Amino acid sequence: RRPLWRPREESARRRPRGHGMAPFWQSLLGPPKFSLANMSALHQLLQRTSVVSERNRAMVVDALRTTAELVLWGDQNDPTLFEFFLEQNILGIFWRLLEQRDTPSSVKVQILQTLSILISNIEAGPSIYYILSNDHINELIRHPFDFSNEELLAHYVSLLKAIALRLDPHTVQFFIGDAPPTSGARDAGNSSDSPPPPTHASPAAAVRSPSGGVPSSLSAAAPPARRPGDDPPPPPRRPPSDPPTQPPARFALFEAALTLWTNDERMVRTAVRAIVLCVCRLEEPRVQAFVRDSAVLPQVSCLFLFS
C-alpha cells in the first residue's frame, strides 16, 4: 500500500500567530513603559522641546507625568532608571521649561506636581539627598509665579510642604547659605590702597616709653613674693564663651513660606504654618537663629516655637 504522506517534522511545528510581526508592532507601540529605553525616549522628547506652546502642551504634560511614574518605579525596582534621571540632569530640563515666560500654566502646574510627587515618595537616603541637593530646587522656590492662578498656588504650596516634611539637620543645609559678597566689598578687599592689617605688637613693645626704654615700674622680671596672711590669688580667667551662632543670610524655603503667611486662602495659611513648624522643630543652631531673627514671622508665634 502506498504510505500516507507525512509532513516533515520541522514543518509540523506550529508557528504562533503573528510570527515575524513583533518587530513591526514594537516599532509602532514603542518600548515597554517601565524600561530604560522609554526613559531615554522621554528625555530626548523633553530635551528637544525648546519652547512649550499650545500645540505641544499636552505632549509635554504627559511626558512629565510619565517621567515621575518611571522614576518612582525605578526607585523601588530598577536603580538604573533613577541613575539615568540624575545623570541626564532632567531636573535642569524641568527648570528650563518652567522659567520660560510663555510656558502655559498647565505645564508649570505639572512640573510642580511632578516634583512634589517625587520628593514625597522617594525613599529616604541617598536618593532624596540627590534630589534636594540640586540647586534648581532653590531656583524654583524663588521663582516669581503668578499666584493669581489658584491651581498654581496650590501646587506651589504643596511642593514647599513636601520639602519641609523631608527636612532634617542634614537636608536643611541644601536650603540655607550665606549671601555672596558684593562687588564693592570684593573691590575694596582687592584694592592696593587699602591700609595694611594691624600688626600685633608684643607686650614689651606696647609699654615702651617715648624715649625707647622700658618704664622702671615694669622692669621687674617676677612678681613680688607672697607673704603669710595675704589674700589668695584670684582664680584664673575662664576662656571666653563661644560667640552666638550667626544665622544664615538666605533660607529660600522659609522666606517663601512667610510671604504666604497672610494669604486669603485658609488652606494656604494652614499649609504655611505647617511648613514653619517643620522648620522650627529642627535642632540646627543656624536655622533656629534665622527663625528668631526673622522680622516677618509674627512675634506671637515665636512664643511657642522653641518652648
Side-chain angles (χ1 to χ4, degrees):
R1 298 178 58 181
R2 184 178 179 182
L4 296 176
W5 177 81
R6 294 180 181 179
R8 292 181 300 178
E9 183 178 356
E10 51 270 20
S11 300
R13 297 174 182 173
R14 298 189 60 183
R15 296 181 179 179
R17 181 174 298 179
H19 177 74
M21 302 294 291
F24 173 74
W25 289 111
Q26 284 184 358
S27 63
L28 294 180
L29 299 176
K33 182 177 180 179
F34 297 104
S35 64
L36 185 60
N38 191 22
M39 189 75 169
S40 178
L42 292 172
H43 168 253
Q44 294 177 9
L45 186 151
L46 294 174
Q47 194 172 33
R48 289 195 306 264
T49 304
S50 57
V51 178
V52 183
S53 61
E54 292 296 331
R55 297 182 59 182
N56 59 356
R57 174 182 58 85
M59 179 184 63
V60 173
V61 169
D62 184 69
L64 293 171
R65 185 183 299 112
T66 307
T67 300
E69 296 177 6
L70 292 179
V71 173
L72 292 178
W73 186 88
D75 185 54
Q76 301 287 337
N77 302 277
D78 189 359
T80 58
L81 296 179
F82 188 78
E83 293 173 1
F84 183 88
F85 178 82
L86 298 177
E87 291 174 358
Q88 301 301 324
N89 193 20
I90 298 182
L91 281 179
I93 300 178
F94 290 178
W95 169 245
R96 176 175 59 81
L97 299 177
L98 181 69
E99 67 175 348
Q100 295 179 9
R101 181 180 303 177
D102 298 331
T103 299
S105 59
S106 59
V107 176
K108 295 182 179 181
V109 166
Q110 185 59 50
I111 291 176
L112 295 177
Q113 185 180 17
T114 298
L115 292 175
S116 179
I117 292 173
L118 291 179
I119 294 173
S120 300
N121 295 279
I122 287 180
E123 289 188 354
S127 299
I128 193 64
Y129 289 169
Y130 291 144
I131 294 290
L132 297 180
S133 63
N134 194 303
D135 197 52
H136 292 306
I137 300 296
N138 280 315
E139 294 175 349
L140 186 147
I141 293 173
R142 293 189 292 263
H143 183 72
F145 290 98
D146 180 15
F147 289 143
S148 61
N149 187 329
E150 296 181 358
E151 187 178 8
L152 190 63
L153 173 61
H155 284 87
Y156 178 78
V157 173
S158 297
L159 175 61
L160 297 184
K161 187 176 180 180
I163 296 174
L165 291 174
R166 304 306 294 265
L167 290 182
D168 57 39
H170 302 288
T171 57
V172 75
Q173 305 300 326
F174 302 136
F175 301 96
I176 60 177
D178 299 325
T182 59
S183 58
R186 288 194 298 265
D187 296 340
N190 298 331
S191 175
S192 58
D193 298 335
S194 58
T199 57
H200 299 283
S202 62
V207 296
R208 288 184 183 276
S209 63
S211 60
V214 179
S216 58
S217 60
L218 300 178
S219 59
R226 292 183 57 211
R227 298 178 181 178
D230 290 347
D231 295 334
R237 288 185 176 182
R238 295 182 179 180
S241 58
D242 296 335
T245 303
Q246 295 295 328
R250 295 177 300 156
F251 193 176
L253 176 66
F254 190 74
E255 294 169 346
L258 290 185
T259 58
L260 302 172
W261 183 272
T262 58
N263 191 271
D264 296 335
E265 293 291 335
R266 181 177 181 181
M267 296 188 65
V268 173
R269 296 197 304 269
T270 303
V272 168
R273 281 152 176 76
I275 295 170
V276 171
L277 291 177
C278 288
V279 172
C280 294
R281 68 177 172 80
L282 297 175
E283 297 181 358
E284 213 286 337
R286 299 183 67 196
V287 173
Q288 294 182 355
F290 188 91
V291 174
R292 289 193 183 98
D293 295 347
S294 176
V296 183
L297 187 66
Q299 296 299 322
V300 65
S301 62
C302 293
L303 298 177
F304 63 88
L305 290 180
F306 299 107
S307 59

